[in-house]
Structure formats: C-alpha cells, structure tokens
Amino acid sequence: MSNAQVKSAMRAFEILEHFRLSQQPRTMSELSTDLGYPLSSTTVLLKTLVNLGYLNYDRGKRVYFPTTKVTGLGDWVPRALFGSGQIIDAMNDVHAATSEGIFVGTRNDVYLQYLKTKQSLHALRFFIDEGTVRPITRSAAGWVLMSTMSDDKIENMVRRANIATQNPAERVLVPEIFERIAEIRARGYGWAEDVPFAGGATIAVLMPGTILGSPVTLGLGGVADRIKKNFDKYLGALRNAARSVPAEPDFDTPIHIEL
C-alpha cells in the first residue's frame, strides 16, 4: 500500500472523527480548515465518502453530515465487547460512588486502550477520550494488565513498548516494571501518581473474565490529592464493582450503551 493510500485512509477516519466531536453539519471549507487538509484533497475525500454512503451532502446548504451507515459500522460492537452490560453497570456503580473519571481498559498490542470511559463530575479533572491508547508501560492500568503475564512475556512487552514509544523520556526500564508488577500481585491493585498526567493519580483493579480474550481492568483517575484523600473509599468501590461482574459475561441479552 502506498503512502498516499495510507494518508487518504487516515484522513477519511479523521473526517468521521471530526463529525463525532462537532456533532453538526460542516461545509467543505470548514472541514478543510479545521483539519488542515488541502481543499483539493478534502473535495475528493468528501465525494468518495458520499458515494460510499457514509456522508450525506445537502446541496442547498452545501453541508455534509454522517449517515446511519456510519452508526451501522459499530452498533454490534458494544454487545460483543461488554455482554449484557455487567461491566458497564460496574463502571456506573463506581462513578456514582466517587464522581471520578472511570474507565474500562484492555491490552491492544503494546498499548493500553480505554474501551469505555465515564468522565469525572469534579470541577478539576482530567479528560480521557474513549478509544485512546497509550503505552502499556505508562499507566497503573497497563501494569495491572501486565501482571497477568509470565515474566518472560512481560520483559518482551516492555522492550517492544519502548521501541514503539517515540519519546525517549517515556521509555521505562525492565526492572522498574517488575517492581511495579510485584507490588500489584502482592496488593491486588495498581496505583500510579503523576502517570500519565502530572498532578493526577490512578487506581486500577483486574476484572473477572476477558474481552476478546484479553484481561480487563477497571480504573479510576483524577487529581492526586483528592484520590489520596479518598483512597480507601475509592479502592473499595472498585473492588466491589469488580466482584459484581461474572467471570463469564452474558453475551445473549441485548445491551444499551449510554453514549
């Protein structure tokens, strides 16, 4: 595949992502300006997406907007990932008890990926968008996921994650990770301060069962001082929520995912 084809594919997804964030019709010039694309490239991409049925073009108003075909691409995913909703219920329980940012994460190659998030209600907070990935070595949730692996696989994971991490300052030492994982295996939870956000803190626990064959973590994050002040309460809420999820989630009952 040529670099031009890769760039076009990336830009097509970026256009759809832009609509997800703006949630309103956009003109071609607005999309070109907002995304920093040449007008000629934007014209071709939008025409292609219209022809494929993913965008609607209102010729009178000269604006574009996604069609339901975009929704159809992934409307089956929540049930495939979360079963009948026990994991989502667990997230909601922790959020109700803490009002902090809550997430469900799993491993995606050498990354931690936030599959589902629920944003904090506190005035001072950190924002993590659903689908975000970061090196698995750079978060408490990532360490929790790695704690389920054998030592040789952990070492291999760290080395591969370091290769994929462009910023040298974010690369980690293997002994450092083994120290973190030893603590998690002894305590039964992961804890991180100032990682990945300065001034922030995270608590994460392992969930029963797997998603697509990978271990799952339930985590809570927010301002470090507030997390430390409420540590016992927050850890208890996470553990209670994790215990409420069966090891074999029900994938047969329909689920409603709050958007």
Side-chain angles (χ1 to χ4, degrees):
M1 182 177 291
S2 68
N3 290 336
Q5 288 174 313
V6 172
K7 182 181 290 186
S8 294
M10 290 177 59
R11 285 179 171 176
F13 281 110
E14 287 170 350
I15 286 173
L16 296 177
E17 180 70 11
H18 184 79
F19 278 112
R20 186 185 72 83
L21 296 173
S22 66
Q23 298 186 8
Q24 60 182 334
R26 307 292 283 172
T27 66
M28 179 175 58
S29 60
E30 287 173 334
L31 290 165
S32 175
T33 300
D34 291 347
L35 295 170
Y37 299 163
L39 200 58
S40 58
S41 299
T42 307
T43 302
V44 173
L45 279 169
L46 292 175
K47 184 176 180 179
T48 300
L49 290 170
V50 170
N51 289 340
L52 291 173
Y54 292 109
L55 291 183
N56 172 266
Y57 180 55
D58 185 326
R59 191 170 296 275
K61 298 179 180 179
R62 304 180 70 181
V63 295
Y64 296 84
F65 196 72
T67 69
T68 54
K69 188 173 181 180
V70 175
T71 305
L73 287 173
D75 59 2
W76 55 275
V77 173
R79 188 172 67 86
L81 292 177
F82 303 115
S84 62
Q86 298 99 327
I87 292 177
I88 305 301
D89 289 342
M91 280 186 62
N92 291 336
D93 289 344
V94 179
H95 191 262
T98 67
S99 296
E100 298 287 357
I102 314 298
F103 64 86
V104 169
T106 190
R107 181 167 68 87
N108 185 347
D109 192 30
V110 296
Y111 301 97
L112 161 72
Q113 183 163 32
Y114 298 92
L115 292 182
K116 191 70 181 170
T117 62
K118 199 169 182 69
Q119 301 305 326
S120 171
L121 299 179
H122 294 283
L124 188 57
R125 55 186 174 174
F126 299 95
F127 182 86
I128 298 177
D129 200 8
E130 285 183 7
T132 298
V133 296
R134 62 170 36 94
I136 198 168
T137 55
R138 294 283 297 170
S139 72
W143 303 333
V144 167
L145 294 174
M146 284 196 293
S147 72
T148 66
M149 302 165 61
S150 63
D151 287 355
D152 61 329
K153 288 185 177 180
I154 291 171
E155 183 171 352
N156 179 264
M157 179 68 66
V158 174
R159 297 190 188 283
R160 291 198 298 119
N162 281 340
I163 292 172
T165 302
Q166 295 183 350
N167 184 356
E170 294 185 353
R171 295 169 187 160
V172 300
L173 299 175
V174 173
E176 175 188 337
I177 294 299
F178 276 123
E179 182 179 344
R180 297 280 191 179
I181 288 175
E183 293 174 352
I184 290 169
R185 288 171 174 168
R187 298 174 178 174
Y189 65 87
W191 160 262
E193 186 174 352
D194 293 324
V195 176
F197 304 113
T202 306
I203 312 172
V205 299
L206 194 66
M207 297 283 277
T210 62
I211 289 180
L212 299 180
S214 295
V216 187
T217 182
L218 176 66
L220 172 155
V223 176
D225 289 343
R226 191 171 63 235
I227 300 294
K228 289 189 285 188
K229 180 180 178 180
N230 295 281
F231 184 86
D232 290 341
K233 172 186 175 182
Y234 287 2
L235 178 60
L238 285 168
R239 284 176 161 167
N240 288 338
R243 282 194 290 265
S244 72
V245 178
E248 297 293 335
D250 174 13
F251 290 95
D252 296 321
T253 305
I255 176 176
H256 171 72
I257 297 293
E258 179 181 330
L259 301 176

